[in-house]
Structures are given as structure tokens and as C-alpha cells.
Amino acid sequence: MRDYMAANRRTQDALDELVLANTNVAQTRYPDECEAVGRAIANARSSEVSTPQSTTPDILASRSDGLPTSPPKRVDGVDHFGRDRSLRPRTVDELLLQDSPTWIVRDVLPEKSLGVVFGASGSGKTFLVLDLAATISRKGVRWFGCRVRNGGVVYVAGEGSLKSRLKAYLIRHSVAADELRRLRVVSSSVNLFALESGDLDTLIAEIRKVAGELGGVVLVILDTLNAMMAGGDENASKDMGAMLAAARGIMDAIGCSVLFVHHSGKDESKGSRGHSSLKAAVDMEMQVTGNEGGRVAEVIKLRDGETGRRMGFRLESVDLGPDPDPEADEGDRISSCVIQPLDQAPEKAKPKIRRVVALDALREAISEFGQKMPATSTIPAGVKAVTLDQWKARWVLRTGYDDSTGNSISVNFHKDRKELLDTGSIVISKPYVWVSK
């Protein structure tokens, strides 16, 4: 029995390599198993066994309204990726012979797992996850002191370009772009919720091509969950179930881990935003909190591992050179940030009073969209301001109200605006607003 199970595991490993187009690796490591797989394929072809044309895994193929209509098919206890899915109850002795969990990042991110990294807008979660992706794609680099398995990474950037952030990473770490050749970025918008869009099939097919080029892909990052479920409601059980099914589909098709980047809710202490089925389904959950003084990434859920690991970091600004905008003022420069690990993680920050978050949102909006205003009877010369609508848009993101009704947004934004006016923190000359000196 032990010999049989060992051989079966080797066959599964061989199948994993063959599915990822690592033919040379498979034949070198598992010659007998590959020969057996070849005979099985030849027998199937001679029997005119048809294979499905869609790249979508069985769990998604017949899905309607965003949910699977039937469970994944099992053929002789093995799924379409060659892994054991038998429903036969196992003995304890058999279970002890199964492989132990393996890691992409030791004690942080398991292999072939589903995870989520979440935090408030401005918490630094995308900078952190991009640093994770770059570290995995490089050789011989640890992440916060943890051992890392090097491999291909695909980063699906649903909320904008990563160009400036990647340039900052290369400058800060003094490495050439070629050293990140195993990191690939998808910058186009992707809809994984609506199957009729065809984006899930297309994405899987493109990742398979990359896996063939790189000798495998170990991690796919989806940033953010909300950006990739156009037409869905993250608070609805069915819709969140559809996104989880899509992520599992990528995992099964590629044999990799999938990591969502997600937002926290209005109350950060209550976890990530949306339906609770997300937390129940993931193998790893990491929360990013903090501010300019110090930030923390904490592993708050880890299946088959210890929770509570806290990794402190700060965001370090990196100068990227003169502003290429033809309308930029002379001497204007652009910058981005990279993470800088701290020797010790800061203590957990107390949640900010919401009006403080509102003021931070105004400063961010002015930094990004602010214009120097001409002097008027109500506006001092040279003051940098934004419109109330621009502030409100950033306020919505920073406070977590982007999943709320229009009336709720207006009422709460008005409360914060009034409090900041009453304390003299801001000045308003409609339609403009700025921070008081």
C-alpha cells in the first residue's frame, strides 16, 4: 500500500509538470510515470474519447448566474488536474503518508492556496503585495526574513498601471528589469464575474502560455477583487461565491496559488469588506493597517499554520526624475514608493477618527489633483485646492463608503466636512476646498 501511494503521488507530480508544459522537467524527474501517462493518452485517443474545448475547469463550465450548478466531476477519484479527489474514507495511516503542506513563503503563503490581503485605501497593501510578487520572481531573496520559493508570478492589476511602482522598486533595490523577468503584469481590465465576457477563459489561456515560458507559475494576484467583479455585488453570497469559483478555476487550471487584494470595511476591526464567505473560503488572510509612522501586515488566518505573524514596514519615497507632463512646472518631479521592512512591527494602531481620515483624503486629493488658484476676494493667491467633488471621491475610497447608497455617502460626507470647517482645518470657497495653513 505504501509503495502504491508513493507511486501515485509521483504520477500526480508528473501530471502537474506536464499540464504546465514542463515536458523536459517531467521526463527527467518521472520517466516511468510519463511513459504511463503517454500510454493512457494513446489509449484514450484510440478509443476516440473526446475532450472539452473550453479552458474553463469543470467547476465553472456549467455555471449559471455566477454559481456552479454542479460539483466538480470526479473520474476514478482524480480531477482534471490529476489530483486525488476520491471520496473513499482514508485510514489514519494513509493520511499520514500524504504530503505535508509546502510553502511559497514559509509560514505566510502556502502553495496551491487561496489567499486575501486586505486593508483600507492608503494602507499600503498594493505596495506590499507588489513587493511580495517581485521577491517571489527573483532568486535567493527572502521576504521579511521568510524563506521563499522562487517562481513565475502573474499580477493582474485591475486598478491601474504599476509602471511607476515597479520603476521605484528597481531603483531602490538596484536591480535591472531583467531580474524581474519571471514577474508578468496584466494591465487591462478583467471581469471574472461574468462568464459571458470570456475573460476567465482568456486569462487562464494567457497564464498557461506564460507558465510554459517560465517553467511554471506559482502565484496569480488579482488586484482588486471588487475591480474584477463588474456587475456583481461583493455583499451578496451568490456573487462572492462566483468570484471564489473563478479563483479556484485559475488555481485548478494552472496549479498555482491565487491571492486577492481587497478592501477593508468601514470598521477595520471587523475585517475585509463584503460577504463572510470570502473569509471562510480562503486558506490565508492578511490584514494591512497603519499610517505614515509605521504599517503592519498581520497574518490573521492560516490554514495548517500559525496565525499572528506581524511584519512591520514603512513606505519609502523614491524619486523617479523630472515630471514628463509637458504642462508641468519647471523643476516638478515625480516619485513613487517602495516598502522598507522594519526590525520590529509597530503596535496595533488605534482606528482613526473619521474626520481625520477625511482630512487625509483631502490632502491626498490635493497632492494628486490640486491646482494653484488665482487670487480672488475669497481665495488667497497661490493656494493649492481641489473641487469638493474631487475631495468627496477620495473621501469615499478612504472611508470605505464606496459600497454605500448615495444618500448615506452625502449625509456622512457632509458631517465630516462640517466638523473640519468648525475646527478650522479646511477652507471652502465653492466649488473649491483646501487645507488651512
Side-chain angles (χ1 to χ4, degrees):
M1 172 61 74
R2 291 176 184 269
D3 291 343
Y4 167 76
M5 293 191 69
N8 190 41
R9 283 199 303 273
R10 287 176 60 82
T11 301
Q12 291 174 22
D13 291 340
L15 280 167
D16 286 354
E17 300 291 354
L18 288 169
V19 168
L20 293 175
N22 300 337
T23 307
N24 292 335
V25 174
Q27 290 177 344
T28 300
R29 293 180 181 175
Y30 316 104
D32 295 338
E33 288 75 18
C34 286
E35 185 178 348
V37 170
R39 287 198 301 269
I41 292 173
N43 291 338
R45 286 175 174 168
S46 66
S47 301
E48 297 183 348
V49 176
S50 62
T51 56
Q53 297 301 309
S54 173
T55 61
T56 306
D58 290 339
I59 190 171
L60 300 172
S62 58
R63 195 177 74 182
S64 174
D65 298 325
L67 284 176
T69 57
S70 61
K73 296 179 181 178
R74 294 178 173 87
V75 181
D76 295 330
V78 177
D79 68 7
H80 65 274
F81 199 66
R83 291 173 299 193
D84 191 356
R85 289 290 188 265
S86 171
L87 297 181
R88 179 178 65 82
R90 307 300 179 90
T91 66
V92 173
D93 187 51
E94 289 174 321
L95 292 175
L96 293 176
L97 289 173
Q98 293 182 345
D99 293 333
S100 299
T102 51
W103 303 89
I104 297 176
V105 179
R106 176 72 185 181
D107 295 328
V108 175
L109 181 62
E111 286 187 323
K112 298 180 182 178
S113 65
L114 177 61
V116 59
V117 175
F118 73 92
S121 295
S123 63
K125 58 184 180 292
T126 294
F127 287 107
L128 180 78
V129 174
L130 182 59
D131 186 85
L132 170 67
T135 301
I136 294 171
S137 72
R138 297 172 64 189
K139 290 184 177 180
V141 183
R142 288 179 172 256
W143 198 65
F144 287 92
C146 300
R147 187 179 73 247
V148 174
R149 176 194 168 187
N150 171 248
V153 180
V154 174
Y155 198 120
V156 186
E159 290 196 342
S161 171
L162 299 178
K163 177 182 176 180
S164 295
R165 299 184 184 198
L166 283 169
K167 186 176 180 180
Y169 181 94
L170 295 174
I171 293 173
R172 173 64 181 77
H173 292 275
S174 302
V175 297
D178 185 63
E179 193 163 337
L180 298 184
R181 61 186 175 277
R182 302 190 77 181
L183 171 60
R184 304 297 173 87
V185 178
V186 178
S187 298
S188 303
S189 60
V190 177
N191 188 345
L192 301 181
F193 175 74
L195 283 184
E196 60 271 17
S197 72
D199 284 0
L200 179 59
D201 274 349
T202 302
L203 181 62
I204 288 174
E206 292 297 331
I207 295 175
R208 277 179 167 156
K209 292 178 186 177
V210 170
E213 296 172 14
L214 301 179
V217 166
V218 298
L219 178 64
V220 173
I221 297 167
L222 305 175
D223 184 359
T224 62
L225 185 153
N226 183 267
M228 296 180 196
M229 62 182 306
D233 179 0
E234 64 185 21
N235 295 302
S237 173
K238 288 184 178 181
D239 294 357
M240 185 62 80
M243 292 301 292
L244 292 169
R248 294 285 184 192
I250 296 172
M251 291 171 61
D252 286 348
I254 307 301
C256 64
S257 292
V258 170
L259 186 65
F260 282 119
V261 180
H262 192 34
H263 298 287
S264 58
K266 300 182 187 69
D267 184 347
E268 289 187 41
S269 65
K270 294 183 179 179
S272 60
R273 204 171 65 184
H275 197 269
S276 59
S277 58
L278 174 64
K279 181 178 181 66
V282 298
D283 304 295
M284 186 279 284
E285 186 178 30
M286 180 185 293
Q287 182 174 17
V288 182
T289 57
N291 50 43
E292 289 76 7
R295 303 162 194 264
V296 177
E298 181 176 2
V299 179
I300 59 177
K301 179 181 178 181
L302 187 60
R303 207 182 304 276
D304 296 324
E306 293 187 12
T307 60
R309 176 182 286 272
R310 303 178 74 244
M311 296 163 286
F313 69 99
R314 63 183 176 85
L315 293 183
E316 182 177 286
S317 180
V318 177
D319 180 70
L320 302 182
D323 190 338
D325 188 339
E327 297 184 4
D329 292 335
E330 184 177 356
D332 282 356
R333 301 181 70 82
I334 58 173
S335 64
S336 187
C337 293
V338 295
I339 73 160
Q340 177 61 44
L342 300 176
D343 293 334
Q344 187 172 355
E347 294 297 321
K348 288 187 177 180
K350 294 181 180 179
K352 284 187 177 181
I353 300 172
R354 203 179 66 200
R355 69 171 178 270
V356 177
V357 177
L359 187 58
D360 288 345
L362 176 57
R363 290 193 177 105
E364 288 178 9
I366 290 173
S367 176
E368 189 168 348
F369 307 110
Q371 298 179 356
K372 291 181 180 179
M373 306 299 296
T376 69
S377 59
T378 57
I379 301 177
V383 70
K384 204 170 185 181
V386 292
T387 66
L388 286 166
D389 285 342
Q390 287 172 321
W391 176 28
K392 185 176 181 180
R394 183 54 58 95
W395 176 92
V396 166
L397 291 175
R398 291 286 270 113
T399 56
Y401 272 90
D402 48 339
D403 61 345
S404 303
T405 63
N407 183 60
S408 175
I409 290 173
S410 296
V411 168
N412 286 284
F413 177 69
H414 180 76
K415 286 181 181 178
D416 289 354
R417 188 178 75 176
K418 184 177 184 303
E419 285 190 22
L420 291 173
L421 271 174
D422 291 346
T423 58
S425 301
I426 64 172
V427 182
I428 294 177
S429 177
K430 291 184 177 181
Y432 299 104
V433 56
W434 62 93
V435 178
S436 62
K437 300 295 184 183

